[in-house]
Amino acid sequence: MTTYDISGMGPLVARLSRCGQRLRQADRARPWVLDTLVVAVVFLMFCLPDLLRGGADDGDGPPRFLLAFTELPVAGMLALQAGLVLPLLWRRRRPMVAFGVIAAVFALQWSLGVALRADVALFVALYSMALHGRLRQLPWAGAVMAGAVLLVALRVSSAVSVWDALFFLSSTATAALTLGLMIRIRRAQLAGLRERAARLEIERDQRSRLATATERTRVAREMHDIVGHNLAVIITLADAGAYATDIAPERGKEALRLIGDTGRQALGELRRVLGVLRETGDRPADGPELSPQPGIADIGALCATVRAAGLEVVYRTSGDVETLDDGVQLTVYRIVQEALTNTMKHADDTRVHLAVVLTGTRLSIRVKDTGPAVTPSGAPNEEGHGLVGMRERAALYGGTVTAGPTAGGGWCVEAVLDLTPRDGDR
């Protein structure tokens, strides 16, 4: 079995690819250079031999074939060659015009009974028409080409069979047309692949930016909940401790202890939230695992912290709420935390009724206080960021959040989550 070593083909292919890329760039910068080169090659290969040897009647071919053509002087032959070859200069910019001019000169030439090697320009123009021209103009070009082929076949019928001439000429024209269309289709495919690659790159960047924005929003929401709630508790405890220092020193010490505990809890939660932003590879393999996100089971400790800040909280649950998934439990915890934080900011010496009720696939959260009816932001017609964050969290589960004053005085926040499984969750 014969084997071939192709290990050295890689550098060669790479060099050829680079050379082709440079040539394409040079052609885009100066397209007239290639067009002039094509005209020069056609002139040297097909026009110059006729001028030097006196045309097709130079003794090449059978006598009956030579008698079928008319001999022209050099000036006339040069004029016909110019009409056939010079329009190739704009074969890419105006392919239909170039093809039409060459076809007209071709018809004139064969009407006079003159055969020239420069007739190859008609096939070059047909190729350029298929490659660069408008597709809807190709049928007209094909009809003109068919007429030219028929004219040549009839003019040489005295020396060559009409069917043989038609077969040869039509095959050549078909080859030129097919080659132009194949290269055109290939270029269109490559352009489509480049466009698709560029579009995929843009979509990838957009997905990356959206993911980054989503993660930033999530982290900002978590930090808002953590910092906002714990700072509100710390401020309340500090005010109470400062008031109780002179009256009841023990109460002041207790307030300071609670401030320390709350600060440490907030610091731990911040470390956990910021820790998830790090790459997995940045954490040591034997490092401590991140603590889980808070859930419904932690609402009791949250209420205890609020009670220590001076508010009376009555908390009850209904249904098997602790079996809910972690995402739902975190949403419930953050909504309750934000509602209690707003109560501590805007209401003193108030009683808070907190209820988390699960009924089938409907989970309701109700936080009602007996304090003054003040919006979370402090303005009557303006919503705070906390209320917006609660609504965003509830919207993840098809839920809604309503907040407003109650008839008997106070403020009420009520959230309803729809826990019906979606099609993508089944």
Side-chain angles (χ1 to χ4, degrees):
M1 180 177 178
T2 304
T3 58
Y4 300 92
D5 184 13
I6 60 174
S7 58
M9 294 295 291
L12 177 60
V13 172
R15 284 195 294 270
L16 291 176
S17 178
R18 287 194 294 269
C19 290
Q21 186 175 2
R22 293 193 190 99
L23 289 176
R24 287 191 295 270
Q25 292 175 352
D27 182 50
R28 285 194 293 267
R30 298 178 179 86
W32 58 269
V33 175
L34 180 59
D35 296 333
T36 304
L37 182 62
V38 169
V39 171
V41 170
V42 172
F43 176 80
L44 293 175
M45 292 183 63
F46 300 101
C47 297
L48 193 59
D50 284 345
L51 294 174
L52 296 178
R53 299 180 183 180
D57 54 344
D58 57 355
D60 297 338
R64 61 174 183 169
F65 184 80
L66 298 176
L67 293 175
F69 301 107
T70 302
E71 182 179 357
L72 285 180
V74 175
M77 186 184 305
L78 188 60
L80 290 176
Q81 287 178 345
L84 291 170
V85 176
L86 289 181
L88 293 178
L89 288 173
W90 61 83
R91 65 183 182 88
R92 293 191 293 178
R93 289 169 294 173
R94 297 289 186 271
M96 189 62 184
V97 175
F99 179 80
V101 172
I102 294 175
V105 176
F106 183 89
L108 175 62
Q109 167 207 327
W110 281 95
S111 298
L112 297 174
V114 179
L116 296 175
R117 291 180 176 88
D119 291 337
V120 72
L122 183 62
F123 298 100
V124 177
L126 180 62
Y127 159 81
S128 301
M129 181 67 195
L131 180 58
H132 303 290
R134 298 178 181 177
L135 293 178
R136 64 172 179 267
Q137 295 175 343
L138 280 182
W140 295 100
V144 172
M145 193 68 190
V149 167
L150 182 60
L151 175 62
V152 175
L154 293 176
R155 293 295 297 180
V156 301
S157 60
S158 60
V160 182
S161 171
V162 175
W163 297 110
D164 291 343
L166 285 175
F167 175 77
F168 174 76
L169 295 173
S170 61
S171 298
T172 306
T174 302
L177 183 64
T178 303
L179 181 61
L181 289 176
M182 287 179 59
I183 297 178
R184 183 181 189 135
I185 293 172
R186 179 60 178 170
R187 289 182 179 178
Q189 290 176 343
L190 293 177
L193 290 176
R194 285 192 293 267
E195 182 182 356
R196 183 172 183 269
R199 186 170 62 252
L200 290 176
E201 185 175 356
I202 293 174
E203 291 177 356
R204 181 199 62 190
D205 295 340
Q206 289 177 344
R207 286 195 298 268
S208 177
R209 288 194 293 268
L210 287 175
T212 301
T214 302
E215 184 65 14
R216 287 178 177 176
T217 302
R218 186 187 69 82
V219 172
R221 189 165 54 227
E222 290 290 327
M223 295 186 68
H224 170 269
D225 293 340
I226 295 170
V227 175
H229 169 75
N230 289 285
L231 283 181
V233 172
I234 290 173
I235 291 171
T236 303
L237 289 173
D239 292 341
Y243 177 76
T245 299
D246 298 331
I247 301 175
E250 293 299 326
R251 294 292 301 274
K253 292 180 180 180
E254 181 67 15
L256 292 176
R257 186 184 64 80
L258 290 175
I259 289 174
D261 293 341
T262 303
R264 281 188 291 271
Q265 178 184 356
L267 182 60
E269 292 187 6
L270 285 176
R271 285 175 176 172
R272 183 186 67 249
V273 172
L274 297 177
V276 300
L277 299 179
R278 301 175 183 173
E279 296 292 336
T280 305
D282 295 340
R283 296 196 303 267
D286 55 351
E289 294 292 333
L290 296 175
S291 59
Q293 293 278 33
I296 294 179
D298 300 300
I299 294 180
L302 178 65
C303 294
T305 304
V306 175
R307 292 189 189 100
L311 274 69
E312 183 180 356
V313 181
V314 179
Y315 170 49
R316 71 178 182 87
T317 62
S318 177
D320 199 3
V321 294
E322 294 187 359
T323 61
L324 298 173
D325 62 71
D326 295 340
V328 177
Q329 293 201 34
L330 175 62
T331 298
V332 174
Y333 181 89
R334 292 305 186 197
I335 291 176
V336 171
Q337 184 184 50
E338 182 62 32
L340 292 177
T341 301
N342 289 333
T343 299
M344 285 191 296
K345 289 179 180 178
H346 304 290
D348 296 327
D349 298 330
T350 184
R351 183 184 181 91
V352 181
H353 295 273
L354 169 61
V356 179
V357 179
L358 176 62
T359 306
T361 59
R362 184 177 183 273
L363 178 65
S364 63
I365 307 157
R366 181 180 174 87
V367 182
K368 181 181 179 300
D369 62 62
T370 58
V374 180
T375 58
S377 61
N381 296 319
E382 185 179 337
E383 292 184 351
H385 296 289
L387 183 57
V388 174
M390 285 190 285
R391 285 176 174 165
E392 289 179 354
R393 289 183 180 277
L396 294 176
Y397 295 93
T400 59
V401 175
T402 58
T406 59
W411 190 265
C412 179
V413 176
E414 186 170 5
V416 179
L417 307 183
D418 183 8
L419 306 183
T420 303
R422 303 177 183 177
D423 294 338
D425 300 334
R426 296 177 180 175

